[in-house]
Amino acid sequence: MTALREQFNQDGFLVLENFNTHGACDALMQRGKELAAAYHYTGQASVFQTSEQAKTSNDYFLNSGDKIAYFFEKDAFDEKGELKTDLFHSLNKIGHAMHDLDPVFNKLSRSPQLQQLVMQLELEDHLLIQSMLILKHAKVGGVVDIHQDSSFLYTEPESCIGFWFALEDATTENGCLWAKPGGHQTSLRTWFKRKEGGGTEMVILDNTPYTMEGMQPLEVKKGTCIVLHGLLPHYSLPNTSGKSRQAYAIHTINRNAFYPSSNWLQREMNGVKGFF
Ligand code: FE2
């Protein structure tokens, strides 16, 4: 086993500085802006909110697995249902298949340095099932409640691993990630899935509360890559600062693991590709 994989197994996450160039980060943010500008908002909004996701899921969200789709901040609308600010600054995130559909996102999702990291971590069998551009705009970027990524990308056996790329400096002021070393050595608490008959539900697998003790802010510079184990509880606080905190995240699962048809994210599995 490589030293890096050993460290990952021990801590449940890795912080790799200077992973992407500032130019690559800027290109991705620029592309995100262009995608948002091309989005024809019809007044049918889909809001992303971790605490209420089972309630706020709609068909637009459930059908976004193989698309480039747009999700609003919960506070983006006034009492009349109109956007309070411009569309781009009302968005919480863009997802969930840019890594396959957009050349700029594809390039960063399968970069030579990422392929090398994947080999060092012995994740050659992993498939890129989901991507998200997380905007976390200044003043409006909302909280992301504590969760485990495996809840949203459930497999048997558990196999989800995320790669989180800082496109801008992430600090405690603008809502960086929080996690604790070794935190992944725990059980999966919930499974976010499609409900029979429509909609989604958060199924409780283990109601043991998360231990918040020892949580550390992962303050990182633009260009950093954070690798996250699917069982690692993590969260981020609202962005109350004047600086945005954009990040790009891709999530992977092992190609040999069982991926239930009741998982929220569904796409043509033959079309799901790896890093190479
Ligand atoms: Fe997450």
Side-chain angles (χ1 to χ4, degrees):
M1 193 184 293
T2 64
L4 204 61
R5 176 72 201 217
E6 249 174 74
Q7 197 192 331
F8 180 67
N9 287 354
Q10 189 182 306
D11 291 343
F13 66 90
L14 293 171
V15 176
L16 306 166
E17 292 179 337
N18 300 313
F19 192 83
N20 290 315
T21 63
H22 284 203
C25 295
D26 293 341
L28 214 72
M29 289 193 286
Q30 176 59 30
R31 188 66 191 133
K33 241 182 185 172
E34 288 167 11
L35 290 173
Y39 168 44
H40 296 294
Y41 171 54
T42 57
Q44 293 287 320
S46 195
V47 169
F48 183 78
Q49 201 183 353
T50 42
S51 56
E52 296 286 327
Q53 197 53 47
K55 271 188 225 155
T56 56
S57 296
N58 57 16
D59 287 346
Y60 182 79
F61 171 74
L62 288 174
N63 293 328
S64 66
D66 58 359
K67 296 186 179 67
I68 298 175
Y70 303 82
F71 302 93
F72 289 89
E73 286 289 347
K74 74 169 170 45
D75 296 328
F77 303 91
D78 64 18
E79 56 285 353
K80 288 188 208 140
E82 307 279 336
L83 289 180
K84 289 185 203 163
T85 181
D86 66 275
L87 187 131
F88 181 64
H89 291 97
S90 305
L91 293 175
N92 170 288
K93 66 176 180 182
I94 305 175
H96 289 100
M98 292 96 74
H99 60 292
D100 287 330
L101 300 174
D102 184 86
V104 181
F105 281 88
N106 176 55
K107 193 175 167 199
L108 199 114
S109 308
R110 296 181 170 92
S111 67
Q113 68 271 31
L114 186 52
Q115 290 174 335
Q116 198 191 342
L117 174 62
V118 161
M119 287 193 284
Q120 281 178 305
L121 294 176
E122 299 160 17
L123 300 174
E124 292 93 335
D125 277 345
H126 275 236
L127 301 172
L128 280 70
I129 190 145
Q130 169 183 280
S131 54
M132 300 189 285
L133 178 66
I134 305 158
L135 297 163
K136 200 111 178 173
H137 289 299
K139 305 283 184 199
V140 295
V143 63
V144 175
D145 293 305
I146 189 160
H147 66 279
Q148 295 163 301
D149 290 339
S150 288
S151 293
F152 298 91
L153 294 166
Y154 178 88
T155 62
E156 293 172 2
E158 192 284 316
S159 68
C160 174
I161 290 182
F163 296 83
W164 188 99
F165 304 104
L167 303 178
E168 298 180 287
D169 293 350
T171 65
T172 51
E173 282 76 43
N174 69 359
C176 67
L177 292 178
W178 288 71
K180 108 176 125 175
H184 65 304
Q185 284 155 9
T186 191
S187 57
L188 183 61
R189 303 303 203 279
T190 57
W191 178 13
F192 179 70
K193 63 195 286 284
R194 288 174 186 239
K195 210 162 45 175
E196 247 177 83
T200 56
E201 61 185 332
M202 193 66 93
V203 175
I204 309 289
L205 303 175
D206 179 347
N207 61 10
T208 310
Y210 290 115
T211 319
M212 302 304 284
E213 202 190 334
M215 284 288 182
Q216 299 173 2
L218 306 183
E219 294 195 286
V220 297
K221 290 277 174 213
K222 174 175 182 168
T224 301
C225 168
I226 301 181
V227 190
L228 294 160
H229 191 282
L231 290 178
L232 183 79
H234 60 284
Y235 63 97
S236 69
L237 298 173
N239 183 356
T240 54
S241 80
K243 287 183 180 165
S244 66
R245 194 230 66 187
Q246 289 198 43
Y248 175 57
I250 52 179
H251 287 95
T252 71
I253 53 163
N254 190 297
R255 68 170 76 234
N256 301 312
F258 170 64
Y259 189 85
S261 58
S262 51
N263 272 356
W264 86 264
L265 190 157
Q266 294 297 326
R267 51 179 289 185
E268 184 53 63
M269 291 309 277
N270 290 337
V272 179
K273 293 176 287 215
F275 286 97
F276 300 92

